[in-house]
Amino acid sequence: MYIIVTVLTTLALRAAAQGGCDPATNCPLPNCRCFLDSAVPGGLNVSDVPQLVVLTMDYALNEEYEPLYNQIFSVANPNGCEIRGTFFVQDKTSNLGLVKRYADGGFEIGINSIDGTIPATEGDMLNMMKTMGNNGLLYDAGCVTSQYDQQLNYKWPFTYDFPPTDNLCTTGTSPTKNFPGKWQILVADLTWQGNKCPSPAGCGNVTTKKDAFDFLYNNFATHYEGNREPYIIVLDPVWVKTDFKLEGTIQFVDYLRAAFNDVWIVTANQLLEWVQTPTKKADLNTFAPFQC
């Protein structure tokens, strides 16, 4: 009886600390994860966790940018499948035929606003989450955070079954109402020469190919050398249209795949599939969501 009472008390305290959310009782994987749960999904040891890198591309997708993005996605993951990323496509100036070709080629196509506008208020965020629910969408990846952007406090994706009470987003306000089963992939601020920025294009003083490589790699290292939370990079036309920045990005991606056998470059949806079904890195060559 003492053991049972102790266990129940521990669970109750843990749930209370997370606003009623407890991964062992009312918020288990695969469809729920507590915001304050800092453990690796599935309770895996960090030594068994792959480093997942997600390349997302914002705004327009058209013939001007096609050859630039194609240069980035030219290598393969450890299982031999070509790396893929997620496009959050705005309607304005995008070529929908090209968008379909990327989708047919294994890229994930997400939704941006018509002109790339970011939700600015909690009301806007709530409307977005309602739209996600009405259209069967699983996650949002538009919340950039300057609170959870350090090696000691990076966040794994979580659901809004038990929403956080504080605002997480640098731009706009994160929802405080619950949306069961809807996931948030937080985008941690990047750091370069003591400054923070939401995306590579937002950081100044990147003036050479080496700067671009070092910038992307240094932020990668804080994840890889920590608890292996996913590393999300938001690329946009402003960044990839600059020759030396594109070259540094290509070098970074090529280096990751050449130097590390436990780094996988995946789409945002593939990331969530891994979080929902945590799989040791030694078993990923046969992990169905990462197959070609």
Side-chain angles (χ1 to χ4, degrees), residues 1-10:
M1 180 63 68
Y2 173 79
I3 295 176
I4 294 175
V5 170
T6 301
V7 170
L8 290 177
T9 300
T10 301

Side-chain angles (χ1 to χ4, degrees), residues 113-189:
S113 61
I114 293 175
D115 59 359
T117 302
I118 299 172
T121 66
E122 182 176 12
D124 291 340
M125 294 290 287
L126 288 173
N127 289 335
M128 182 189 69
M129 298 297 286
K130 291 173 183 176
T131 300
M132 287 172 56
N134 292 338
N135 291 277
L137 302 176
L138 183 62
Y139 71 88
D140 169 66
C143 181
V144 179
T145 180
S146 59
Q147 296 176 259
Y148 301 96
D149 63 352
Q150 302 295 315
Q151 188 178 76
L152 295 177
N153 70 356
Y154 287 132
K155 287 291 184 184
W156 289 94
F158 63 92
T159 63
Y160 280 100
D161 294 68
F162 299 87
T165 57
D166 59 336
N167 178 33
L168 307 177
C169 306
T170 303
T171 301
T173 304
S174 57
T176 56
K177 294 184 179 180
N178 65 316
F179 292 90
K182 300 303 178 185
W183 289 81
Q184 181 71 66
I185 299 176
L186 282 183
V187 180
D189 264 346

